[in-house]
């Protein structure tokens, strides 16, 4: 028998560890995982680049049968503006994805003056390279293990396949 929601959900904050770049909170019968992966702006002599990447994990709990299912939501924006041989150019790209996913990413950018907030949560300004990594398993594994330790089980086969 799984731990009742009224008893379990207030404990979700115990998963919010200062050394991790993400956090969890409960809302109704859902647990929301929140990870602002990176926000960075780089200034070069003739160009500026901006990156904004975030990830959300929404876990829905079914107390009637003791199961949970989840949805991944990811968004990424990258914009460039600068001078070229032909004049001034501007371009932006935005992508969203939603559903069940396994995602791993590593990003490294150097050569300009950078202002960034990345995985470590520190806001930095300087010539240090902007480097960050992202992996969905980092946020899913502790939450899913915690739910399973309270007697909850994945509600779908597809959810189990993409859980890690």
């Amino acid at each position: 028998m799984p731990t009742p929601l009224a008893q379990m959900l207030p404990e979700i904050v115990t998963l919010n560890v200062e050394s991790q770049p993400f956090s969890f909170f409960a809302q109704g019968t859902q647990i929301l995982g929140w990870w602002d992966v990176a926000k960075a702006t780089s200034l070069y002599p003739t160009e500026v680049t901006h990156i904004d990447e975030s990830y959300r994990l929404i876990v829905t709990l079914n107390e009637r049968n003791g199961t949970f299912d989840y949805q991944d939501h990811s968004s990424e924006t990258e914009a460039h503006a600068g001078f070229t041989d032909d004049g001034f150019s501007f371009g932006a790209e935005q992508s969203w994805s939603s559903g069940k996913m396994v995602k791993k990413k590593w990003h490294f950018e150097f050569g300009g003056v950078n202002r960034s907030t990345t995985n470590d949560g520190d806001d930095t300004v300087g010539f240090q390279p902007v480097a960050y990594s992202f992996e969905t398993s980092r946020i899913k594994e502790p939450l899913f293990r915690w739910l399973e330790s309270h007697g909850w089980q994945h509600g779908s086969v597809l959810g189990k396949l993409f859980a890690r």
Side-chain angles (χ1 to χ4, degrees), residues 103-164:
K103 188 174 182 182
K104 294 181 181 188
K105 178 179 184 175
W106 186 81
H107 182 91
F108 183 81
E109 187 167 331
F110 67 96
V113 177
N114 300 307
R115 178 184 178 122
S116 64
T117 304
T118 56
N119 288 343
D120 58 13
D122 291 333
D123 195 16
T124 60
V125 176
F127 289 98
Q128 306 89 337
V130 175
Y132 64 91
S133 63
F134 168 72
E135 192 169 340
T136 55
S137 64
R138 282 187 62 196
I139 189 170
K140 289 179 183 178
E141 285 179 2
L143 177 59
F144 293 172
R145 275 195 314 263
W146 183 78
L147 287 168
E148 290 164 358
S149 76
H150 282 278
W152 292 79
Q153 297 184 5
H154 282 280
S156 71
V157 173
L158 188 60
K160 290 177 190 175
L161 290 173
F162 287 96
R164 308 282 187 233

Side-chain angles (χ1 to χ4, degrees), residues 83-103:
F83 292 97
T84 66
D85 292 339
D86 299 327
F88 184 78
S89 71
F90 176 80
E93 183 178 313
Q94 187 164 29
S95 63
W96 299 272
S97 47
S98 183
K100 302 216 184 308
M101 67 179 84
V102 173
K103 188 174 182 182

